Amino acid sequence: MSTAAPILLTPGPLTTSARTRQAMMVDWGSWDERFNQLTASVCEQLLGIINGADSHHCVPLQGSGTFAVEAAIGTLVPRDGKVLVLINGAYGKRLAKICEVLGRSFSTFETAEDQPTTAADVERLLRADASVTHVALIHCETSTGILNPLPEIAQVVARHGKHLIVDAMSSFGALAVDAQQVPFDALIAASGKCLEGVPGMGFVFASKEALDNAAGNSHSLAMDLFDQHRYMARTGQWRFTPPTHVVAALHEALLQYHEEGGLPARHQRYADNCQVLLEQMARVGLRSFLPPAIQAPIIVTFHAPKDPRYQFKAFYERVKAKGFILYPGKLTEVETFRVGCIGHVHPADMRAAVAAIAEALREMEVTEI
Ligand SMILES: *Cc1c(COP(=O)(O)O)cnc(C)c1O
């Protein structure tokens, strides 16, 4: 097996196609008309994926996904707003941390890492605290792979006349969300996840009404999505140096996304990856942390073997030497590791990955799984 180009089974950066990487071989000028068209085309295609062209703006932002989440909260939550943050993992905790750092008032509701937040929880919480203006939710909590019931929660939030901010970073493009059915003020994702682009830019689908009313909310110049959008709408250009190669790669990745069959096909491939992974790992005796009903086909958390000869670092190195990059666990209570199902990978890759995992465990003489 090649160690030169390992397959990343991580939830971003992830494995990209050669064609997507090839699209980065051109240098673009930020004033170039063709580059502006590339940006406009990317935003238009992204809006199409959520059926949001009529109701939402797509505002791209330089940086990793967290930059876009922070920008969305800073721009869309007024300084006297209050955010109810729904937490069942590390990314939910990060949302709360962002509110804290930005000085936005917030409260948190935390469930166990294997417990989705329910619409009934949100109903009860909103009844109990009328001062909440915004609810913030992680769609697929990547720290375990758990799926939170976004459509049901969105209906409750809308019925209470509150605003919803969704971090859909690891699900966007693979799990369907229709902006005409699921009401939200902001839904946030990034280039380097299920669209299979390279990392380097996030984007926020902001409701036109919410964004138009967001002037002056932001504490930050560079993270102000109102200003970013206004400038881009007027000039066709990014406000500050754009991540040109990232945009070009995302454009190429989107062409492949549509050629593959769009969201249904992308979802199906990831679901197949996930199923093969779970089946093959079960044969090795490795158990998944989440029950199937709440497992998103994005990333799977596995219980680490109990054998004292198991050490994640050594295991990781052995599996890497066989061509696959795994992801450490992110749970505080239980020892786990994670395997991503997303990226330019197919069921045959998942089979080969599990074979590599089994072999690594044999080499380490790990017998007690
Ligand atoms: C990847 C991810 C992010 C963004 O993380 P970055 O490291 O900033 O790219 C945010 N939320 C979720 C749920 C994610 O999976």
Side-chain angles (χ1 to χ4, degrees):
M1 279 242 176
S2 157
T3 49
I7 289 181
L8 297 180
L9 297 175
T10 59
L14 38 65
T15 306
T16 55
S17 73
R19 194 175 140 191
T20 295
R21 293 192 300 274
Q22 194 65 33
M24 293 187 287
M25 298 302 278
V26 177
D27 295 320
W28 299 84
S30 62
W31 279 73
D32 190 273
E33 180 55 29
R34 280 184 55 222
F35 178 71
N36 295 342
Q37 285 165 5
L38 215 55
T39 301
S41 163
V42 163
C43 288
E44 191 186 314
Q45 292 180 65
L46 294 175
L47 276 168
I49 296 172
I50 58 153
N51 188 24
D54 293 337
S55 51
H56 291 72
H57 294 302
C58 172
V59 191
L61 185 73
Q62 299 93 330
S64 88
T66 305
F67 289 57
V69 177
E70 182 166 326
I73 291 176
T75 304
L76 296 173
V77 179
R79 295 188 194 199
D80 61 355
K82 179 173 179 184
V83 187
L84 167 61
V85 183
L86 306 173
I87 301 176
N88 47 12
Y91 289 98
K93 287 183 181 147
R94 190 180 294 176
L95 281 178
K97 182 82 188 166
I98 289 171
C99 292
E100 185 189 328
V101 170
L102 298 189
R104 295 298 189 278
S105 160
F106 69 99
S107 59
T108 58
F109 175 71
E110 188 164 352
T111 50
E113 285 163 311
D114 58 355
Q115 289 297 318
T117 313
T118 66
D121 290 331
V122 179
E123 175 75 44
R124 191 181 67 250
L125 292 160
L126 289 178
R127 275 180 199 278
D129 184 356
S131 69
V132 167
T133 57
H134 290 69
V135 175
L137 170 74
I138 309 285
H139 187 201
C140 169
E141 174 50 83
T142 323
S143 52
T144 53
I146 193 172
L147 186 63
N148 286 307
L150 166 61
E152 291 82 358
I153 289 173
Q155 294 307 333
V156 171
V157 174
R159 216 178 322 111
H160 282 262
K162 309 295 184 185
H163 304 275
L164 180 65
I165 294 177
V166 187
D167 173 348
M169 204 72 62
S170 63
S171 56
F172 175 75
L175 303 181
V177 176
D178 184 326
Q180 307 315 310
Q181 310 282 331
V182 178
F184 59 81
D185 267 30
L187 185 137
I188 307 139
S191 53
K193 300 235 172 172
C194 299
L195 298 176
E196 301 181 4
V198 302
M201 63 172 271
F203 44 89
V204 179
F205 299 108
S207 96
K208 289 181 176 174
E209 196 189 339
L211 193 65
D212 292 347
N213 289 319
N217 282 347
S218 180
H219 56 292
S220 158
L221 173 71
M223 307 286 265
D224 186 352
L225 296 178
F226 176 86
D227 211 37
Q228 178 88 333
H229 173 70
R230 193 173 54 171
Y231 186 86
M232 201 170 264
R234 198 174 68 232
T235 64
Q237 293 172 14
W238 295 59
R239 249 181 337 160
F240 309 125
T241 303
T244 44
H245 297 73
V246 177
V247 175
L250 181 56
H251 185 264
E252 196 63 36
L254 281 165
L255 293 179
Q256 294 160 82
Y257 181 78
H258 296 305
E259 286 165 17
E260 184 176 359
L263 191 144
R266 184 64 50 98
H267 175 264
Q268 191 59 53
R269 177 158 58 83
Y270 290 171
D272 292 347
N273 286 348
C274 186
Q275 194 191 337
V276 166
L277 174 67
L278 287 166
E279 280 169 11
Q280 297 299 309
M281 290 289 260
R283 292 177 60 174
V284 182
L286 288 161
R287 290 176 305 120
S288 76
F289 171 73
L290 293 175
I294 53 171
Q295 170 72 61
I298 303 294
I299 187 166
V300 181
T301 298
F302 290 96
H303 288 281
K306 292 182 204 67
D307 199 304
R309 278 164 293 204
Y310 172 85
Q311 291 285 338
F312 178 74
K313 191 77 181 88
F315 173 59
Y316 171 91
E317 291 298 343
R318 284 184 188 274
V319 176
K320 179 179 164 185
K322 299 175 200 311
F324 299 92
I325 303 286
L326 302 178
Y327 215 49
K330 213 169 187 168
L331 300 184
T332 40
E333 308 279 306
V334 243
E335 168 89 4
T336 56
F337 67 92
R338 290 176 291 170
V339 185
C341 308
I342 64 177
H344 188 67
V345 291
H346 298 81
D349 300 309
M350 305 313 277
R351 256 175 230 284
V354 179
I357 286 169
E359 204 177 299
L361 292 175
R362 265 196 306 277
E363 289 166 7
M364 294 169 74
E365 298 180 357
V366 168
T367 47
E368 195 195 339
I369 307 265

